[in-house]
Amino acid sequence: MTPFEQRVLERVRFLYGDDESEVIVERICDLVRRYASLTKERPDSLWTEKDAFLITYADSIIKDAERPLVMLQQFLSEYCRDIFTTIHILPFFPFSSDDGFSVIDYREVNPEFGTWDDVRSINENFDLMIDLVINHASRESVWFMDFVNDQPPGRDFFIEQDKETDVSMVVRPRNTPLLVPVHTRRGVRHVWATFSEDQIDLNFKNPSMLLELIDIFLSYVAVGARFLRLDAIAYLWKSLGTSCIHLPQTHEVVKLMRDVLERVAPEVVLITETNVPVEENISYFGMGDEAHMVYQFGLPPMVLHALYRGNAAYLTSWAQQIPPLPPGCTYLNFTASHDGIGVRPVENLLPANEVEEMIDTVRRYGGFVTMKTNTDGTESPYEMNVSLFDALMGSRRGPDEWQIPRFICSQVIMLSMRGIPAVYIHSLTATPNDVANVERTGRMRSINRTRWLFDDLETRLANSNTPNAEVFDTLSRLLQIRKQQPAFHPDAGQTVKSLNKALFIIKRVSLDRAQVVYALCNVSAVNIELAVSDLLDDGEQVIADLMGESSISEAQDMLKILPYQCVWLQVSHPYKDTAE
């Protein structure tokens, strides 16, 4: 037995016991052999400072009579080739709800969006990130039709419970019933549905379910996926009498998927999506043997809080305490996405009254709040649903004239931090709240899921007087500057400094210690003056302003930073060939 087979056998035994474990391992090995032609040499590095992601739906850009994936490819080719390396196309499969996250068929492209050839066309110029919606499937899927009709294989792919089962211990991100009734050939049955009555949880206690999903995610690698995102992975394994979140079996499944990827496609990066407090989130790194990358879920609400209050103290403290990364792991940094801005990630990080004030401010700026049900039956905020651009139209004191610089400040904070930046398409295009979309769908998350008409967006980007053009041009320029700086390599050193409560300050040092960059972001509406000697460490001296916008006195003893201004200062230093 090879080391790979032995490792897989141990994981299978942990999940399913000794019975049939060797048969299951052989079936996994059959899958590995089937996709053996994908195998490439292991790369020296999985990422560099040039990496930047764009998050988008397949139909975020539309035009009459054109396939959305074709229009997306046109937009990306015309506007994004010099600034993004990877495109995260959110689920583009046939679906029944939740804008793609209730998958009907995991192996087909939604014909309303386009074809696999359209996906491959995007892959010609960009790496791809593809979602494996692993926790649940649509009730319109063939699998669920099998369940309803008591036919294999789907009849054993879902979790059936008596309607009187006590599920009070189960942790959930929703306030809908967990067990939903379904009319089947065997009468009314109640099935597990963590997220909605249309998203029925899959039964991973059935090894055939696991094998099917492994086959599916390897098929995504075969069509060009360089990054694989495990959606809602935290809720994967269910065991009554537990919280059913982050169970050891769930972590073991992630490890098994990592093992398979290491064998078949060592250049592919595994990403887990877990909108939970930081310690729970980073548990998916394991010992460097689970996810290569996790989302930095604390970043969006911490940045929003700092910009609302004009005070970076909590943001600074949080960033200073980010745990060290295991080797070969990094963060995906983001400030906005297709989902809302999570509230759970700031549990025990921000005062409760300030979290409530942040939520109230989001509501004032046209946003909504999604609630979740707690184990004691009470409800509490789960996420804030709002366009980030509109969320930053003002501070907690009300709207003001600083919306665009405040928004750009939020993005520079993200671009400066250790990890890989991921920009949501509606941040790139300064998209406002889409309340009409909420009214059309009845879902609060739709407020930040606009579909741009290609001609309308093109007209706005061509007009330098629009917020859309100003934000797009500024972010494009900053991303182009960033990718030239070795100090912004995802693995480069990071030190967070606390010198002024209005300033968020990060020092980044390249892996070869040849470049040092200080990122300073003023999160307030007031001018800040900072003594350069207070900022720099011994022997350092400013040699370049990478953005070309800072105001440093001729004697280089004072730095003036305007409201919401950000600067990247490159400095000379005495430790190029020594440890920092």
Side-chain angles (χ1 to χ4, degrees), residues 403-422:
Q403 182 176 16
I404 291 177
R406 183 184 289 113
F407 178 78
I408 295 298
C409 180
S410 75
Q411 301 308 287
V412 175
I413 291 172
M414 172 186 68
L415 295 179
S416 303
M417 292 192 66
R418 185 176 186 180
I420 297 175

Side-chain angles (χ1 to χ4, degrees), residues 300-356:
M302 294 302 294
V303 168
L304 189 65
H305 173 267
L307 290 167
Y308 274 173
R309 300 189 68 84
N311 185 339
Y314 283 103
L315 174 63
T316 296
S317 176
W318 166 78
Q320 288 173 331
Q321 297 176 57
I322 293 174
L325 288 162
C329 297
T330 195
Y331 290 106
L332 191 68
N333 292 323
F334 73 111
T335 53
S337 74
H338 61 291
D339 288 339
I341 299 172
V343 176
R344 283 210 67 203
V346 296
E347 288 177 4
N348 303 316
L349 294 176
L350 296 174
N353 65 308
E354 294 186 15
V355 173
E356 190 61 39

Side-chain angles (χ1 to χ4, degrees), residues 33-90:
R33 286 188 286 269
R34 187 189 309 169
Y35 290 96
S37 61
L38 301 177
T39 305
K40 302 176 182 177
E41 289 187 13
R42 183 181 302 276
D44 293 334
S45 177
L46 292 174
W47 41 68
T48 74
E49 63 273 12
K50 299 183 186 301
D51 283 307
F53 288 29
L54 178 69
I55 306 167
T56 179
Y57 279 102
D59 62 343
S60 290
I61 311 287
I62 58 174
K63 188 174 184 177
D64 289 342
E66 294 285 354
R67 299 194 300 274
L69 280 167
V70 172
M71 296 315 303
L72 177 61
Q73 194 272 340
Q74 183 175 337
F75 173 78
L76 295 173
S77 295
E78 292 183 16
Y79 291 95
C80 299
R81 286 186 67 169
D82 295 332
I83 54 178
F84 295 105
T85 56
T86 299
I87 309 302
H88 175 197
I89 310 177
L90 293 157

Side-chain angles (χ1 to χ4, degrees), residues 141-161 180-192 200:
S141 66
V142 172
W143 294 341
F144 198 68
M145 292 302 99
D146 284 346
F147 175 83
V148 169
N149 292 308
D150 196 28
Q151 297 293 318
R155 68 182 178 192
D156 301 315
F157 279 5
F158 300 92
I159 303 165
E160 186 178 324
Q161 296 288 165
V180 299
V182 178
H183 291 274
T184 77
R185 285 179 176 266
R186 296 171 292 133
V188 175
R189 293 291 188 266
H190 287 76
V191 293
W192 200 292
I200 313 301

Side-chain angles (χ1 to χ4, degrees), residues 479-491:
L479 283 160
Q480 288 170 333
I481 293 170
R482 184 190 184 278
K483 71 180 184 180
Q484 302 301 323
Q485 316 309 321
F488 287 134
H489 189 287
D491 300 335

Side-chain angles (χ1 to χ4, degrees), residues 365 388-395 398-403 406 433:
Y365 296 151
L388 184 61
F389 184 68
D390 270 6
L392 293 173
M393 68 172 63
S395 68
D400 56 32
E401 71 273 26
W402 300 108
Q403 182 176 16
R406 183 184 289 113
N433 290 331

